Amino acid sequence: MTNSLVPPAGPHRTLALAQLTNSVGDGAYYVTSALYFTHVVGLAPARVGLGLTLAWAVGSLVGVPLGRLADRRGPRGTAVLLALATGLAVASFLVVRGFVPFVIAACAYASAQSGLAAARQALLAGLVSAGERTGLLAHLQSTLNAGLAVGAGLGGLALRAGTRSAYLGVFALDAVSFLVCAGLLLRLPSVRGARVRKAGGLGVLRDRPYAVVTLLNTVLLLRMPLLSLGLPLWIAERTDAPTWLVSALFVLNTGAVMAFQVRTARGITGLASATRAVRRSGWIMLAACAVFALSAGASPWVAVAALVVGAVLQVAAEMGQSAGSWQLSFDLAPADRVGEYQGFFGTGVTVARTMGPLVLTSLLLEWGTPGWLLLGGATVMASYAMGPAVRRAAERGEVAVRQPVVTS
């Protein structure tokens, strides 16, 4: 895998282009959706929050069977269909005018998104050798950040216009982006579906060692709403730093991931190196939390310096934990059930996004410095527990080495 920000030609680059395409649409959607649902659709903010929470809860449950479908029927065809379904779900938001239709559309959107993520991971596993997967995922993460940044800029133009037509244009752009994504995925070689072993009704949930790894990774992901919620509220209520710093820290994080995620993932080639990366990221995150805590009660410039240093440490921890978890999620999954296992592993993101805001606001705003240290301490504990959990999962005798068959 090259260290360039652009992956090599072939399936690597096509996957990156597909990621870039729909992330531009998603970036525009993320910055405008809340105001669209409240100002254009006319829903109360509390109902929007409730509807999206229900939708992502459904999506997290549906991701596993859709991942299993990708394993059995072939990940390319499943990914293409789910990309089209996601685009159709986004388009349905254009005609939604009530709470119940909104919840139905949001559930369809979240379910298709969760299944698409699992199917794309299974497709990647079938097209790319095991030694190249983490490096390619680092490229895709950089591409994701670049696309989100561009999309957020486009969404900002819609927010500035503030018209119904501008909002509708953003949702139409997001829907079209998934249609283009489906077309790009269709250009990839087909991966034949595996003859999946009988797993029973619970499927991946019967694999307790993998479930423990997923749970520990979910704890590490609770920091996900830090930039979007935790730090903005901390800066506004607990420090004398200027509020514009919130935007600056977001740009710093996005730029760092774009520039250094590939390099961070370069040395991660197996379970041992992935476990070390996760453990190291836990200590770095603890340091970041301690530095963030120093910003409370300090002069404005000292607070700014502490927050910037903390943000640098936090993004370093984020990149290390991400790269390590990617390697673990693939290496510990049976080769004939990658989609199902990735669908389950991906529920950690949904749980973190759902519980993270409550955890962060309770710890940081109510507890202050002890809350920061508790967050960092929990991260260290989860990162160290990952070692024995990974060893147990690797020794359970269920990790297959056979790769799916690629056909033209």
Side-chain angles (χ1 to χ4, degrees):
M1 177 65 62
T2 178
N3 292 328
S4 167
L5 292 179
V6 179
H12 302 71
R13 189 169 298 174
T14 302
L15 285 167
L17 287 174
Q19 179 78 288
L20 178 64
T21 300
N22 72 255
S23 63
V24 170
D26 278 346
Y29 167 84
Y30 291 150
V31 300
T32 59
S33 58
L35 292 180
Y36 173 79
F37 292 133
T38 54
H39 292 180
V40 177
V41 179
L43 299 175
R47 286 203 152 194
V48 172
L50 174 62
L52 292 178
T53 299
L54 291 173
W56 285 110
V58 171
S60 66
L61 295 176
V62 173
V64 173
L66 288 177
R68 189 181 302 171
L69 178 66
D71 292 329
R72 293 178 175 176
R73 300 299 182 185
R76 189 191 69 170
T78 305
V80 169
L81 290 176
L82 288 172
L84 293 173
T86 306
L88 182 62
V90 173
S92 71
F93 286 130
L94 297 172
V95 296
V96 163
R97 291 295 178 269
F99 178 67
V100 173
F102 162 70
V103 172
I104 295 173
C107 287
Y109 171 76
S111 299
Q113 277 272 45
S114 297
L116 176 59
R120 286 167 76 162
Q121 297 290 69
L123 179 59
L124 183 150
L127 295 175
V128 179
S129 65
E132 293 182 302
R133 290 172 190 165
T134 297
L136 177 56
L137 285 166
H139 277 295
L140 296 181
Q141 185 69 12
S142 298
T143 303
L144 172 67
N145 277 263
L148 290 176
V150 172
L154 296 175
L157 295 177
L159 292 176
R160 182 176 179 82
T163 64
R164 182 175 183 273
S165 297
Y167 286 121
L168 293 178
V170 166
F171 276 74
L173 170 67
D174 195 20
V176 170
S177 75
F178 280 98
L179 299 183
V180 177
C181 172
L184 289 168
L185 293 174
L186 197 58
R187 293 171 53 189
L188 291 167
S190 178
V191 177
R192 187 179 303 165
R195 185 172 296 175
V196 182
R197 291 165 291 161
K198 186 71 174 178
L202 295 177
V204 65
L205 294 177
R206 297 170 62 90
D207 188 344
R208 293 182 181 178
Y210 194 89
V212 171
V213 171
T214 301
L215 176 61
L216 293 173
N217 188 65
T218 302
V219 174
L220 298 176
L221 289 175
L222 289 175
R223 47 84 184 157
M224 288 186 66
L226 196 58
L227 278 177
S228 61
L229 180 68
L231 277 175
L233 292 177
W234 174 262
I235 290 171
E237 299 190 17
R238 289 296 194 109
T239 78
D240 293 324
T243 53
W244 56 259
L245 188 63
V246 172
S247 177
L249 295 182
F250 184 85
V251 172
L252 185 154
N253 181 278
T254 303
V257 172
M258 290 171 57
F260 299 110
Q261 181 68 79
V262 175
R263 184 177 302 179
T264 301
R266 182 174 54 189
I268 299 176
T269 57
L271 293 178
S273 56
T275 304
R276 287 195 299 270
V278 171
R279 186 168 58 241
R280 184 166 55 248
S281 73
W283 284 110
I284 297 174
M285 189 63 195
L286 174 60
C289 290
V291 174
F292 280 137
L294 295 176
S295 62
S299 66
W301 288 112
V302 172
V304 168
L307 290 165
V308 170
V309 172
V312 171
L313 292 170
Q314 186 268 328
V315 73
E318 173 188 333
M319 291 187 291
Q321 185 268 327
S322 296
S325 67
W326 295 331
Q327 187 79 34
L328 296 177
S329 69
F330 276 106
D331 284 3
L332 295 174
D336 59 348
R337 296 169 65 190
V338 173
E340 177 185 353
Y341 272 60
Q342 288 297 315
F344 179 68
F345 198 79
T347 61
V349 175
T350 304
V351 173
R353 285 176 174 168
T354 303
M355 296 184 58
L358 176 62
V359 172
L360 292 182
T361 52
S362 299
L363 287 179
L364 307 185
L365 298 184
E366 296 183 16
W367 290 26
T369 297
W372 277 113
L373 298 179
L374 183 59
L375 176 63
T379 302
V380 171
M381 291 176 62
S383 67
Y384 264 79
M386 190 69 82
V390 168
R391 285 194 295 272
R392 184 182 176 192
E395 293 169 356
R396 72 192 188 282
E398 297 178 6
V399 178
V401 296
R402 178 174 57 82
Q403 298 299 320
V405 178
V406 180
T407 60
S408 59

